[in-house]
Amino acid sequence: MAVARTRSVALAGVAGHTVEVEADVGNGLAGFHLIGLPDTALSEARDRVRSAMVNSTYPWPDARIIVSLFPASLPKRGSQFDLAIAVAILGAAGVVPAERIAELFFLGELGLDGRIRPVRGILPSVLGAAKTGDATVVVPSGNAAEAILVPDVKIVPVAHLRQLVEWLRKGDDPPELEIEENVEPPRSTTSPEVDLADVVGQPVARRALEVCAAGGHNLWMLGPPGTGKTLLAERLPTLLPDLDLDHALEVTAIHSVAGVLPSNAPMMSRPPFVSPHHTATSAAIIGGGSTVVRPGAVSLAHRGVLFMDEAPEFPRHVLDALRQPLESGRVTVSRSAGSVTFPARFMLILAANPCPCAQPEDQGDTCRCSPTVRRRYLGRLSGPLMDRVDMKVTVVRSSRRELLADRQFVESSKTVAERVLAARERAAKRLAGTPWRTNAEIPSSVLNTNYRPGAAAMQPMTSCLDSGTLTARGLDRVIRVAWTLADLADKDSPEQDETNAALSFWLGVKS
């Protein structure tokens, strides 16, 4: 009997940390002791590992077994350590060569019959293992398609503990990857039939949507039911270009940790679209959990769209919780066990009715809400939150003539997406050599030094600053939108037409 070591990965948010798993099988009173700050699910590994080994025809050592997870100060959660614990015990008992397992990483949950079951968070776990350089990671066969997305890492898929032990004993080639080739990644989380051409009668709102897609800006739409607010928001993802590889890995890692990765493809190549119900809690929106901290809607919408329909119906503290991630592009969830940071760079789309009864005032004065009720209703959207919204559009009901006249001007999502892509490429070329790719990501300090429009273009905004109708944060938002409008117009820098249009969008325009 001896000591054997192997490695696994612990997740803290979407960051993977290497964990050394040591097993000591020695003399003493027979028993199993797991140390190293395990949670409840991990403490139950003893029974799963024992049954898996016995049912795979490998004897359970009748001795004192101590399994240590290092570093002990790092919290370890979940059942993905089962495989590493079993292999370490088998190595210490002499069933498999201890030197064969010392440099490998093992991830997977064990079934009582020895099957190796898939676990969530494989992609960020393999990314964490890749930091060590020249890593070889053993993963469940069901997670292999997700694991091979990480470059420069050798993936060994296994389906059963017996299959793994025989490979470790013989030292021959690892099991072959049996992954379906030419899998088409999911193009969008919305319906494939969705198209911007479906929205008729709202030309200004359609233009605002195009600007949002081109620059990554936030949008607020105010109007009665039936005016197309939800239709517009659902079509925004169809205007966005595919995710770059590094962004796709970020998004896929978050969805993998959350356990909501689409089953039809391992890689999310399209920007996500998340639309929580207005009864969602703060933990559901921001992220949280009593034991295991999960990413919330703001992180699931990373590099995509977070749509909050009926925004005033959300609790005010939930809405105000969006302010910090809108500024920083990440959210930190603090609990007694520690803090976890998730990325949260998203486009926020808010939709609201003008009052609780949602009846239009221009349709025979059917709205009976008093000015106080209307003010209190929209007041749930606080000033600091609205100050972080780049564009505001009021949509109204269109007449039959307006609907018929607008049909000849509507464009398909494909047509608008081409202009959006061209504008994004123009912005990316201008921002080459920086960590930013869209105008909405440029920080204020850089915006006002390197990308400040000329004096003539700034004149409309300086007038609003002097009158107090524009805040300093609002000024930054207007400049960013002006740059996006210039990119769409194929101009080298914003002129007064672009700054006037951007200022109108920030102050609020009627569609």
Side-chain angles (χ1 to χ4, degrees):
M1 303 296 181
V3 175
R5 297 178 179 86
T6 188
R7 296 187 290 182
S8 189
V9 179
L11 287 177
V14 291
H17 303 276
T18 299
V19 172
E20 188 174 279
V21 181
E22 295 178 302
D24 178 18
V25 178
N27 296 326
L29 186 63
F32 182 94
H33 307 278
L34 181 62
I35 58 177
L37 209 60
D39 70 342
T40 302
L42 184 51
S43 298
E44 295 171 348
R46 173 188 59 186
D47 298 321
R48 292 193 298 269
V49 170
R50 178 172 183 170
S51 295
M53 287 177 56
V54 172
N55 291 325
S56 299
T57 69
Y58 304 114
W60 179 259
D62 186 16
R64 184 193 62 178
I65 303 173
I66 299 178
V67 176
S68 173
L69 307 178
F70 175 84
S73 59
L74 179 68
K76 296 126 188 123
R77 304 181 177 91
S79 58
Q80 71 177 27
F81 295 93
D82 287 3
L83 191 57
I85 293 173
V87 170
I89 294 174
L90 290 168
V95 178
V96 298
E99 63 275 7
R100 285 292 312 275
I101 65 175
E103 299 300 324
L104 302 178
F105 286 86
F106 295 89
L107 303 169
E109 177 182 339
L110 285 173
L112 299 184
D113 58 354
R115 286 181 297 173
I116 302 176
R117 293 173 172 168
V119 293
R120 64 174 62 184
I122 279 292
L123 180 60
S125 297
V126 177
L127 286 170
K131 296 176 184 177
T132 62
D134 195 24
T136 299
V137 186
V138 178
V139 301
S141 297
N143 291 129
E146 180 183 347
I148 63 170
L149 297 175
V150 182
D152 303 324
V153 175
K154 184 178 181 181
I155 301 299
V156 179
V158 288
H160 198 279
L161 182 61
R162 189 183 301 110
Q163 177 191 13
L164 173 61
V165 171
E166 293 305 312
W167 170 62
L168 292 172
R169 277 177 169 177
K170 296 177 182 178
D172 53 6
D173 294 334
E176 294 184 0
L177 281 170
E178 296 181 358
I179 300 174
E180 184 179 352
E181 298 181 355
N182 300 323
V183 176
E184 183 68 20
R187 305 308 298 172
S188 175
T189 53
T190 56
S191 172
E193 292 80 17
V194 164
D195 195 283
L196 187 62
D198 301 334
V199 185
V200 182
Q202 302 294 348
V204 177
R206 292 199 306 270
R207 173 62 173 173
L209 212 66
E210 178 181 347
V211 176
C212 286
H217 304 293
N218 305 319
L219 173 66
W220 180 50
M221 293 181 288
L222 176 68
T227 52
K229 302 187 298 294
T230 303
L231 288 176
L232 285 161
E234 290 176 344
R235 281 144 183 81
L236 178 55
T238 66
L239 309 182
L240 300 175
D242 290 344
L243 296 172
D244 296 334
L245 178 59
D246 55 343
H247 289 173
L249 288 174
E250 285 180 352
V251 173
T252 304
I254 296 171
H255 285 71
S256 177
V257 169
V260 295
L261 197 62
S263 58
N264 61 328
M267 174 78 83
M268 294 191 64
S269 62
R270 292 291 301 161
F273 179 82
V274 180
S275 179
H277 194 262
H278 64 262
T279 57
T281 63
S282 180
I285 299 297
I286 301 300
S290 57
T291 55
V292 180
V293 178
R294 304 288 186 201
V298 295
S299 297
L300 294 176
H302 181 59
R303 303 296 178 186
V305 180
L306 176 64
F307 175 47
M308 305 187 77
D309 202 3
E310 307 293 346
E313 299 294 340
F314 284 83
R316 179 159 183 167
H317 71 276
V318 173
L319 293 170
D320 285 340
L322 297 172
R323 288 151 54 178
Q324 185 266 337
L326 282 174
E327 285 291 326
S328 63
R330 61 182 182 272
V331 60
T332 300
V333 181
S334 298
R335 294 293 182 266
S336 58
S339 298
V340 176
T341 299
F342 295 105
R345 178 75 63 184
F346 58 92
M347 285 185 287
L348 177 64
I349 308 298
L350 300 172
N353 295 318
C355 63
C357 74
Q359 296 296 327
E361 287 185 329
D362 56 355
Q363 300 286 329
D365 295 327
T366 55
C367 176
R368 299 181 180 179
C369 297
S370 66
T372 302
V373 171
R374 295 167 63 90
R375 185 168 57 252
R376 185 183 300 120
Y377 182 72
L378 293 179
R380 298 177 186 176
L381 302 173
S382 65
L385 175 62
M386 297 305 297
D387 210 31
R388 290 167 169 83
V389 178
D390 310 66
M391 307 172 66
K392 308 170 184 70
V393 175
T394 300
V395 293
V396 297
R397 289 182 176 175
S398 303
S399 65
R400 183 176 64 87
R401 286 186 176 181
E402 291 172 334
L403 291 174
L404 293 175
D406 191 47
R407 287 191 180 276
Q408 59 181 321
F409 298 106
V410 296
E411 297 175 299
S412 66
S413 292
K414 182 180 179 180
T415 301
V416 179
E418 291 174 353
R419 294 200 299 266
V420 168
L421 180 60
R424 287 212 172 196
E425 289 176 346
R426 189 179 184 87
K429 183 178 180 180
R430 181 174 63 250
L431 299 173
T434 71
W436 318 297
R437 304 187 188 182
T438 61
N439 295 317
E441 299 176 26
I442 305 175
S444 177
S445 57
V446 179
L447 187 71
N448 288 288
T449 54
N450 299 340
Y451 301 103
R452 192 176 182 86
M458 289 291 294
Q459 195 276 329
M461 292 177 281
T462 55
S463 300
C464 289
L465 278 173
D466 294 338
S467 63
T469 56
L470 185 66
T471 64
R473 182 188 289 116
L475 174 64
D476 294 342
R477 301 280 175 176
V478 172
I479 294 176
R480 293 187 183 103
V481 174
W483 273 106
T484 301
L485 290 169
D487 290 333
L488 287 168
D490 199 21
K491 294 182 178 180
D492 293 333
S493 63
E495 300 176 357
Q496 196 167 75
D497 289 342
E498 284 73 40
T499 54
N500 273 324
L503 184 61
S504 299
F505 273 127
W506 193 85
L507 296 173
V509 297
K510 181 175 289 189
S511 181

